[in-house]
Amino acid sequence: MVSGMIATVIEGNSHPGGVRERPNRHAWKACEAQVSVGSNPTSSAMSVSHEQAMQVALEQARLAAIQGEVPVGAVVVHNGVIIAARHNEREATNDPTAHAEVLALRDAAQHLGRWRLDDCDLVVTLEPCVMCAGALLNARVQTLVFGAADLKAGATGSLYNVCTDPRMNHNPNMKNGVMATESQTQLQDFFSQKRKL
């Protein structure tokens, strides 16, 4: 299900939390790095919905939890294709900026060979913080899609609303609450387990 959706995401990605490369066996050059549901690309594999992208982000969040990271996952979708999928890696890298959104945006920019991601959607399991909201604004992300609201640090509607500030030079489209229950449950389960330790 989800593993098939992220099987062919980024050519040459070797990041610890990133998505593995899978060479395109049939030389479908036009479909390289596309989400594939089988060995041959089909019209159903050509465009990923926000819900399908969120499923991949939730799988990334699950991987983060296994590694002891706060379970937040993010994917970047370009022309209906997932081109980056990452999760939080602050503990593994000792990097306070290693949030899922920042890592996914970096991978997407490298994949596309440009910093401007104005034709990309960022799909993330948790409402972005101030740093991540700033990163997606600077990348000129077209649409932000998130699952659970973050009442303590959310910067795209809950605590602040950076993405709709008219003083900013870019305001992405926003869609929230996509698979919010699943996202919230992952976070609650993770912190419940942490409290038991």
Side-chain angles (χ1 to χ4, degrees):
M1 166 179 108
V2 172
S3 61
M5 293 173 70
I6 61 174
T8 312
V9 179
I10 305 170
E11 184 176 337
N13 183 352
S14 62
H15 296 287
V19 179
R20 290 191 333 256
E21 172 187 0
R22 186 180 108 200
N24 191 325
R25 296 175 298 194
H26 299 290
W28 291 86
K29 196 66 178 170
C31 298
E32 192 170 306
Q34 290 207 14
V35 175
S36 178
V37 293
S39 60
N40 292 328
T42 63
S43 59
S44 65
M46 298 300 175
S47 186
V48 176
S49 71
H50 288 146
E51 289 74 18
Q52 290 170 318
M54 186 62 78
Q55 288 175 347
V56 175
L58 285 164
E59 176 61 18
Q60 285 292 312
R62 187 186 70 75
L63 294 172
I66 290 170
Q67 297 173 14
E69 303 278 355
V70 175
V72 177
V75 301
V76 177
V77 179
H78 176 252
N79 293 332
V81 177
I82 295 172
I83 61 168
R86 296 296 291 272
H87 58 71
N88 279 358
E89 294 182 17
R90 291 190 308 171
E91 301 298 329
T93 61
N94 292 317
D95 179 355
T97 68
H99 287 203
E101 301 95 320
V102 171
L103 298 173
L105 290 172
R106 287 177 185 163
D107 287 355
Q110 184 173 19
H111 176 77
L112 294 173
R114 56 186 162 91
W115 66 266
R116 188 179 292 271
L117 304 176
D118 55 355
D119 52 355
C120 295
D121 297 343
L122 175 65
V123 180
V124 61
T125 58
L126 181 66
E127 178 182 0
C129 68
V130 174
M131 175 184 70
C132 294
L136 72 94
L137 287 176
N138 281 307
R140 309 296 195 269
V141 167
Q142 176 178 300
T143 303
L144 166 66
V145 178
F146 68 87
D150 185 350
L151 302 179
K152 293 182 179 179
T156 60
S158 293
L159 190 58
Y160 304 105
N161 206 341
V162 175
C163 290
T164 60
D165 189 326
R167 298 170 295 178
M168 304 303 285
N169 65 345
H170 175 69
N171 298 113
N173 300 317
M174 291 197 342
K175 181 177 180 182
N176 60 30
V178 176
M179 300 182 75
T181 302
E182 294 86 341
S183 299
Q184 189 66 39
T185 299
Q186 272 190 335
L187 288 160
Q188 289 171 339
D189 290 350
F190 176 80
F191 287 112
S192 175
Q193 290 298 319
K194 285 285 188 193
R195 283 191 288 274
K196 289 179 183 177
L197 297 177

